[in-house]
Amino acid sequence: MKSSIYSLTFDQMQEWLVEHGQKKFRAKQVWDWLYKKRVNTFAEMYNLNKDCQLVLEENFDLGTLEQEIKQESKDGTIKFLFKMTDGNLIETVLMKFSYGYSVCVTTQVGCNIGCSFCASGLLTKNRDLSSGEIVEQIMNVQKHLDAKGEEERVSHIVVMGIGEPFDNYDNTMDFLRIVNDQEGLSIGARHITVSTSGLAKRMYDFADENLQVNLALSLHAPNNELRTRIMKINKAFPLEKLMPAIDYYLEKTNRRITFEYILLKDVNDHKKEAEQLVSLLKDKRHLSYVNLIPYNPVDEHNQYDRSEKKAILDFYQILLENGINCGVRVEHGTDIDAACGQLRSKQIKKDKHKV
Ligand code: SAH
Ligand code: SF4
């Protein structure tokens, strides 16, 4: 079976070409066609010799994702639902900000972490995405922008779609290197953020990667009792394992870390939790940013509600008064199920009804 050509890093492309009797310098040309000119067929790569075109065509696919649905929100957010070659569905979201276009990518089909508030965790993991399938999400969105003819570029990426990126670690790292490579899309590492539910072991590896990519940690609770209740991963990696991993990351990279905190009404949004969060982060506040996220209700998790506006503001105020950098996330595309996994789980339910 052919694999996606977008799975290869630049070095891997060079090696592959040499192994298949081609000149190393062809890699630069191929990548130029793929990522700068963004062609859809090998035949268009006219400065490659026929032999090189053929061997690529025999071995690679130039796109394996099929667009199923595209939903556009009033605020300009666009959600894409793609079908992969094996029929699995994934979601990708394009958001427009004042600083540019940002894309949220999926790394797994479903998620095994199973956080109790999340639509993606409703369906256990079916499989990991290949690096190419993650890169292709960006390529598809970029080609959507190209079609508008306004020379707009995807400038930012958040790895916050369906799945736990650190549970698909190697493919996620290849993805980051491919989209960051100057020979390709050249998306700045500082413009990319990877979000993890806190697989502490992998956070040490990530710190050692020597990448300038940002890290976000889904914390959501400031104590073990509460965190275990809403995120069962906290049993395997409780705060006493997580915080040293964070300290290691901060020391090694000297990069700021973002703590994501979904505010769930009457669950984790009291004054008490805000104060506990301050204590937890105070020794690293110079390198911390807390992103308070209004909860996006998921039909199947009706035990949770979004916090009241006043509770959100009070929580924010306590952090701020105690010198913790923080902000409340501006929402995008709530009218189109833009919280990760929502469109996919609805589509799967619809498909089931059809059968
Ligand atoms: N698995 C990774 C990345 C994907 S989830 C992680 O958990 O970090 C990306 C972010 O979306 C996480 O912070 C997650 O907690 C948040 N999220 C999930 N479901 C949500 C919902 N219904 N409303 C708001 N945020 C949600
Ligand atoms: Fe998986 Fe992240 Fe959803 Fe938790 S919040 S179930 S880790 S995708």
Side-chain angles (χ1 to χ4, degrees):
M1 212 182 99
K2 291 188 196 180
S3 61
S4 168
I5 195 161
Y6 299 100
S7 281
L8 271 55
T9 61
F10 187 70
D11 290 350
Q12 288 165 350
M13 187 82 246
Q14 283 183 325
E15 277 165 35
W16 190 93
L17 285 165
V18 172
E19 275 166 19
H20 290 77
Q22 304 299 319
K23 294 272 190 296
K24 198 171 166 183
F25 75 87
R26 295 280 182 211
K28 201 173 160 65
Q29 293 177 323
V30 175
W31 266 48
D32 193 62
W33 287 112
L34 291 178
Y35 295 107
K36 303 216 167 118
K37 302 198 178 75
R38 300 192 273 277
V39 295
N40 293 312
T41 61
F42 288 107
E44 286 165 86
M45 303 182 175
Y46 64 78
N47 61 352
L48 304 183
N49 57 32
K50 259 268 136 344
D51 186 42
C52 185
Q53 267 183 26
L54 264 174
V55 73
L56 289 172
E57 186 134 29
E58 271 167 22
N59 289 280
F60 293 115
D61 251 323
L62 255 182
T64 59
L65 302 184
E66 205 180 299
Q67 191 179 303
E68 285 276 293
I69 295 180
K70 192 166 85 185
Q71 283 188 335
E72 201 154 350
S73 155
K74 285 183 220 120
D75 63 19
T77 301
I78 301 181
K79 185 147 190 168
F80 300 83
L81 191 71
F82 295 116
K83 194 194 237 164
M84 298 192 289
T85 44
D86 61 359
N88 274 308
L89 296 172
I90 54 163
E91 296 175 9
T92 309
V93 183
L94 169 67
M95 292 160 288
K96 191 173 184 175
F97 291 94
S98 55
Y99 51 75
Y101 282 103
S102 179
V103 176
C104 177
V105 293
T106 284
T107 52
Q108 298 181 310
V109 180
C111 183
N112 276 346
I113 308 293
C115 301
S116 63
F117 51 79
C118 173
S120 303
L122 284 170
L123 304 152
T124 50
K125 183 179 92 176
N126 187 313
R127 71 167 173 90
D128 288 332
L129 262 62
S130 69
S131 53
E133 287 166 333
I134 314 175
V135 175
E136 276 187 46
Q137 296 173 56
I138 304 290
M139 293 310 294
N140 273 277
V141 174
Q142 181 59 60
K143 285 177 185 174
H144 161 86
L145 291 176
D146 292 344
K148 297 204 309 188
E150 290 161 17
E151 300 206 2
E152 289 177 303
R153 284 192 60 218
V154 172
S155 57
H156 291 67
I157 296 176
V158 288
V159 185
M160 293 191 182
I162 303 168
E164 168 49 54
F166 284 1
D167 184 39
N168 183 14
Y169 187 82
D170 293 339
N171 292 344
T172 299
M173 292 307 121
D174 277 351
F175 158 74
L176 296 174
R177 294 205 159 87
I178 294 167
V179 294
N180 175 236
D181 201 302
Q182 301 223 333
E183 301 293 346
L185 291 172
S186 192
I187 298 175
R190 289 186 172 80
H191 289 182
I192 305 176
T193 302
V194 176
S195 174
T196 179
S197 56
L199 272 65
K201 268 200 219 125
R202 287 307 197 181
M203 290 167 67
Y204 288 96
D205 295 337
F206 189 68
D208 291 336
E209 292 285 347
N210 207 11
L211 286 166
Q212 304 296 309
V213 170
N214 306 305
L215 180 65
L217 173 80
S218 295
L219 189 60
H220 306 325
N223 63 64
N224 279 330
E225 195 262 319
L226 193 53
R227 194 160 189 269
T228 303
R229 216 169 91 205
I230 57 182
M231 301 174 75
K232 59 180 197 258
I233 182 79
N234 195 63
K235 273 193 211 139
F237 298 110
L239 294 175
E240 53 279 16
K241 286 200 177 142
L242 204 50
M243 296 324 270
I246 288 163
D247 290 337
Y248 179 82
Y249 175 85
L250 294 177
E251 202 167 299
K252 189 82 202 272
T253 65
N254 206 29
R255 298 188 59 74
R256 193 169 82 160
I257 195 165
T258 297
F259 294 92
E260 289 160 288
Y261 196 103
I262 298 182
L263 287 159
L264 303 165
K265 186 178 175 188
D266 290 335
V267 176
N268 64 355
D269 64 349
H270 312 101
K271 188 171 179 235
K272 184 176 105 198
E273 281 94 29
E275 285 166 355
Q276 284 178 351
L277 189 57
V278 169
S279 314
L280 191 68
L281 301 183
K282 64 174 183 296
D283 66 329
K284 42 186 131 290
R285 64 184 155 204
H286 58 297
L287 283 173
S288 301
Y289 178 82
V290 176
N291 203 354
L292 297 172
I293 308 174
Y295 180 58
N296 217 327
V298 174
D299 292 349
E300 292 79 356
H301 297 309
N302 54 13
Q303 76 269 37
Y304 296 125
D305 268 327
R306 167 179 299 216
S307 297
E308 305 285 345
K309 271 215 173 83
K310 176 156 181 350
I312 299 179
L313 275 179
D314 289 350
F315 203 97
Y316 169 80
Q317 212 56 45
I318 293 172
L319 298 187
L320 215 57
E321 278 162 11
N322 287 281
I324 306 284
N325 297 310
C326 62
V328 180
R329 181 183 285 173
V330 178
E331 294 174 273
H332 280 83
T334 35
D335 53 327
I336 55 159
D337 308 318
C340 67
Q342 286 185 335
L343 178 61
R344 172 173 177 262
S345 66
K346 278 194 186 163
Q347 188 62 22
I348 290 172
K349 268 192 274 169
K350 262 195 226 152
D351 288 350
K352 274 190 189 146
H353 287 307
K354 268 193 235 155
V355 183

